[in-house]
Amino acid sequence: MKSAKRRAPHLPVGEEAAARLRAAHRVVALTGAGVSAESGVPTFRGPEGLWREFRPEDLATPDAFARDPKLVWEWYAWRRERVAGCRPNAAHRALAALDKRAPDFLLATQNVDGLHALAGSRRMVELHGSLWRVRCTGCGHVGGDRSPFAEIPPRCECGALLRPDVVWFGEALPTHILERAFAAAREAEVVLVAGTSSLVYPAAAVPEAALWAGAFVIEVNPEPTPLSAKASLSIRGRAAEVLPMLVGEGAEVFH
Ligand code: BV8
Ligand code: ZN
């Protein structure tokens, strides 16, 4: 039986959120660029999200790649360089701890930076792919590692162009990954949504599906988002500060 969705008004929000997370058997977490902001990874919509004068939406599309694969690869090479110097922060570590603690857990991330895996998250799906993988536009081979490319744009042994193994705007997410995220969301008792502007779909529909199914949804973001009014609890704060308190024994500091 799913725990009551209604708030416990007598409890400070942080303490209630921590209590719900501790009591839940089936937990899902959804993260976005805000969780990696404190590791120095540029967010998409933040001021530092821009590369040269391009908006991410201009470069992260099949059309942009068809038009100018070199330009698009220069952008991804620049992001790989930036992220290579970044380390997981306390938010990533708190989610890795939650993965170890919760009986039934899934982390669905929109981030392509690989920091959740570096922090030790295991039960996880990368909804939008990874900066550290490439896919051949000819033979479909998927591979790649963290070493810089010998040439930009890089090519596959078969001679065809390689592309980043990420989901571009206008492209469908891998069905098995999407289904896993929505199935877990529909079964979850508690869903933790951290560091996302909740603007990009279908990722932003994951907590909505959970709410429909009666889950308790906790949002963590310094700014309000379109999800804030719908969430069971919306906590204003930075992920690296709030998530350790929600997951750790330190919830009492919310007094
Ligand atoms: C698809 C990989 C169809 C690439 C990414 C109109 C309405 C609704 C939807 C659409 C629409 N028009 C088009 C669409 C669909 C589109 C979409 O949703 N567009 C949006 C912009 C409206 N979606 C798609 O195109 C998807 N595909 O629909 O396909 C289809 C279906 C079947 C068959 C064929 C086609 C594909 C979407 C995936 C695109 N790829 N990334 C790459 O990375 O290069 S999306 C990319 O942007 C990220 O992965 C992420 O998802 C998104 C950025 O969002 P966030 O991560 O939330 O980051 P953002 O900067 O926005 O916000 C950061 C937040 O953190 C802020 O709220 C901030 O306050 C907070 N924050 C800051 N600091 C902190 C913090 N929080 C906590 N702690 C802090 N310290
Ligand atoms: Zn190939």
Side-chain angles (χ1 to χ4, degrees), residues 136-141 156-160 162:
C136 177
T137 59
C139 68
H141 166 75
C156 174
E157 276 130 35
C158 77
L162 290 173

Side-chain angles (χ1 to χ4, degrees), residues 6-69:
R6 275 185 318 294
R7 283 267 355 262
H10 63 287
L11 270 183
V13 287
E15 227 169 284
E16 173 168 9
R20 295 255 180 187
L21 275 171
R22 238 191 329 273
H25 282 71
R26 295 185 303 282
V27 177
V28 167
L30 174 73
T31 62
V35 165
S36 295
E38 293 160 273
S39 294
V41 179
T43 64
F44 269 67
R45 277 174 184 73
E48 74 299 354
L50 281 181
W51 180 73
R52 297 183 188 166
E53 73 284 359
F54 296 98
R55 288 172 329 121
E57 278 91 335
D58 306 335
L59 291 163
T61 66
D63 307 350
F65 188 73
R67 247 192 334 271
D68 189 341

